[in-house]
């Protein structure tokens, strides 16, 4: 289970390539644009960047519908630009991770087109139509000469690659075993794809819908067998590379072969709840039908950090060692931290928590300056999710660099941008916040620097929870006290450790330590050395 050393103290940063920086003025971000901003990322202190898919695609799901795994989409540049980006990042101490869409392709991928013309091709899951031309549930009618239909994985235009079924049924012949020819070819293809990009200098992958590969696999035993096989190959062929899963259940995903998994807005025994119980404040993306629940980082102070802490401990117990559980501020599928009723003054305690907890922190681009989730945007490249009908476009708007037109994202006319820039005149920018020592950006940078300077604040340090209410208080590595109050009123925590009063503040806003109490003002946090 050991991970390459670099991962355990990594600070991840996710870039949605469409929206980070446009170097050629077409209104869409690109790889050169990212390369031009590597000095910013190095200044911020992040150590690994994950890029959403940037491969040839009809872009009906923003690139998660891959039509050629081995070629960069022209709108982002070319394969040399990618190699160049990985190289330039590495010289700044930043590793580059790509997104591996393992479970499905676009319906325009040549593999699928061939499969729709050849009844003996089993790279995808095909079923014949039954009486009255009816297809089995969830199957989509064949677009080619092949009769019957195929199983999609997400949107209908994303046919599931065939990795086999965990259970066979005599009357459902499309349920092939995991060792059938199609599944074997697909597993080999995954290795070819990974090998190619790792050879160009990338350091690993975030694996899309990682739990979806083997069908009808309720215990994930066969899916885990598949990923452990991939992992064994990776450990031999590319021992420094990592696989992070989009699974939402680290307790299952890490034993299944991933180096780390994210707590997400879905996944796990109580789907999505660990993450939602921290951040989700009514701009919902959780499973449909779920009652909204107060979150811990809500101003009203009605949440409960215990939900997350219990899930963290349970996951850790299953995994056995810290450093494998990633906690994102947001991603391209769910709202940014600054969403709905949450104001910018509520963001500092959230970042103080993120960067002093033993999870792997993942900062979604723009969250470090407090960019907003923007409601009401048009459905863009499949941004309205099939699962929740949540519009993901609001989390995907252009990075706000400075006060020039289009916030410095692009020279294109505003009408040609991939998505509009936040129209708020007071929108935060990198340039504005770099010039202001009291900004969120400087705080995030300082917190990252602290985490890197003191391993006790990362996965290596022990964790002792002193209070899981308001304020949240915990000791890291027996040496640092962290106090977090995300609520809008003063909070007092009685304690019986008079020595706490002697601790030195390393970084704090509005927290006071006395012999018998810790007092935390509204939206405050404190990191103290004992
Ligand atoms: C993952 C991606 C999401 C995409 C879906 C289908 O959940 O994060 O953006 O739409 O998979 O590939």
């Amino acid at each position: 289970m050991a991970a390459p050393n670099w991962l355990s103290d990594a600070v991840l940063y996710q870039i949605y390539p469409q929206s980070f920086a446009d170097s050629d003025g077409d209104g869409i971000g690109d790889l050169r644009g990212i390369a031009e901003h590597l000095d910013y990322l190095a200044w911020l202190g992040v150590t690994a960047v994950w890029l959403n898919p940037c491969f040839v695609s009809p872009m009906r799901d923003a690139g998660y519908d891959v039509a050629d795994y081995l070629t960069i989409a022209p709108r982002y540049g070319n394969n040399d630009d990618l190699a160049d980006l990985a190289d330039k990042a590495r010289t700044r101490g930043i590793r580059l991770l790509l997104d591996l869409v393992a479970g499905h392709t676009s319906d325009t991928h040549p593999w699928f087109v061939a499969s729709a013309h050849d009844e003996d091709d089993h790279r995808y899951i095909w079923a014949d139509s039954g009486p009255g031309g009816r297809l089995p549930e969830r199957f989509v009618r064949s677009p080619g000469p092949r009769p019957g239909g195929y199983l999609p994985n997400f949107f209908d235009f994303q046919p599931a690659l065939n990795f086999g079924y965990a259970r066979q049924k005599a009357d459902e012949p499309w349920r092939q075993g995991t060792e059938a020819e199609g599944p074997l070819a697909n597993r080999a293809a995954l290795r070819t794809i990974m090998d190619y990009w790792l050879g160009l200098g990338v350091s690993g992958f975030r694996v899309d819908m990682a739990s979806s590969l083997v069908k009808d696999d309720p215990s994930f035993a066969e899916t885990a067998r598949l990923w452990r096989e991939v992992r064994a190959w990776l450990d031999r062929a590319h021992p420094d590379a990592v696989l992070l899963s989009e699974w939402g259940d680290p307790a299952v995903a890490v034993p299944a072969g991933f180096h780390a998994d994210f707590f997400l807005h879905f996944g796990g025994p109580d789907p999505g709840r660990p993450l939602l119980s921290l951040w989700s404040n009514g701009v919902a993306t959780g499973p449909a039908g779920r009652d909204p629940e107060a979150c811990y980082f809500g101003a009203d102070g009605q949440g409960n950090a215990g939900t997350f802490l219990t899930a963290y401990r349970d996951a850790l117990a299953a995994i056995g060692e810290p450093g494998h559980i990633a906690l994102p501020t947001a991603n391209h599928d769910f709202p940014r931290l600054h969403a709905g009723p949450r104001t910018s003054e509520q963001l500092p305690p959230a970042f103080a928590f993120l960067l002093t907890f033993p999870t792997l922190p993942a900062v979604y681009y723009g969250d470090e300056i407090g960019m907003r989730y923007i409601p009401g945007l048009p459905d863009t490249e499949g941004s309205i999710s099939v699962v929740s009908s949540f519009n993901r476009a609001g989390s995907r708007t252009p990075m706000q660099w400075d006060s020039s037109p289009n916030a410095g994202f692009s020279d294109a006319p505003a009408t040609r941008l991939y998505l509009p820039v936040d129209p708020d005149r007071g929108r935060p920018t990198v340039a504005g916040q770099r010039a202001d020592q009291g900004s969120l950006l400087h705080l995030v940078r300082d917190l990252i620097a602290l985490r890197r300077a003191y391993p006790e604040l990362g996965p290596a340090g022990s964790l002792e929870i002193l209070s899981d209410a308001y304020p949240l208080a915990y000791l890291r590595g027996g040496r640092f006290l962290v106090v977090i109050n995300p609520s809008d009123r003063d909070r007092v925590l009685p304690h019986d450790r008079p020595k706490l009063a002697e601790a030195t503040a390393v970084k704090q806003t509005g927290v006071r330590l006395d012999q018998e109490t810790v007092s935390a003002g509204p939206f405050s946090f404190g990191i103290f050395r004992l």
Side-chain angles (χ1 to χ4, degrees), residues 62-86:
Y64 281 98
D65 44 339
V66 178
D68 177 353
Y69 286 97
L70 300 181
T71 308
I72 295 292
R75 73 185 197 181
Y76 299 128
N78 58 37
N79 293 18
D80 290 341
D81 294 326
L82 193 281
D84 187 53
L85 176 62

Side-chain angles (χ1 to χ4, degrees), residues 177-375:
T178 54
E179 298 305 311
E181 197 185 316
L184 286 181
N186 285 332
R187 296 217 294 276
L190 287 184
R191 289 196 294 271
T192 305
I193 296 162
M194 288 192 265
D195 202 43
Y196 176 74
W197 294 112
L198 292 167
L200 278 195
V202 316
S203 297
F205 302 87
R206 173 267 193 187
V207 178
D208 184 64
M209 290 180 66
S211 67
S212 75
L213 269 57
V214 178
K215 302 303 182 202
D216 193 14
D217 187 20
S219 68
F220 298 110
E222 290 300 326
T223 309
R225 188 201 306 273
L226 182 158
W227 285 118
R228 279 199 293 261
E229 179 191 275
V230 171
R231 172 69 184 271
W233 164 78
L234 194 75
D235 285 350
R236 280 195 309 276
H238 301 279
D240 197 43
V242 298
L243 291 178
L244 313 181
S245 48
E246 185 204 26
W247 195 308
D249 193 0
V252 176
V254 173
F258 288 91
H259 292 88
D261 182 41
F262 294 89
F263 275 131
L264 290 171
H265 55 300
F266 65 86
D270 192 351
R273 195 151 168 245
L275 182 98
L276 297 172
S277 72
L278 288 180
W279 308 144
S280 177
N281 61 6
V283 182
T285 49
R290 150 181 231 124
D291 287 336
E293 187 182 336
C295 66
Y296 186 72
F297 285 87
D300 55 5
Q302 297 298 310
N304 177 357
T307 305
F308 173 81
L309 296 172
T310 304
Y312 172 74
R313 279 198 211 96
D314 289 351
L316 187 58
I319 295 166
E321 54 184 74
H324 303 268
I325 302 170
L327 181 65
T329 55
N331 75 19
H332 60 291
D333 291 330
F334 69 93
R336 291 180 176 281
L337 271 186
H338 190 183
R342 188 173 288 124
T343 60
S344 35
E345 60 181 343
Q346 293 176 255
L347 302 175
F351 274 99
F353 171 72
L354 181 89
L355 291 161
T356 58
F357 204 75
T359 35
L360 276 175
V363 178
Y364 184 53
Y365 82 96
D367 278 359
E368 74 275 23
I369 55 169
M371 274 172 60
R372 294 192 294 153
Y373 170 81
I374 300 173

Side-chain angles (χ1 to χ4, degrees), residues 298-300 343-349 484-490 509-510 520-525:
D300 55 5
T343 60
S344 35
E345 60 181 343
Q346 293 176 255
L347 302 175
I484 308 279
N485 178 15
S487 76
D488 63 4
R489 64 210 72 161
D490 292 319
T509 59
F523 310 131
S524 64
F525 74 88

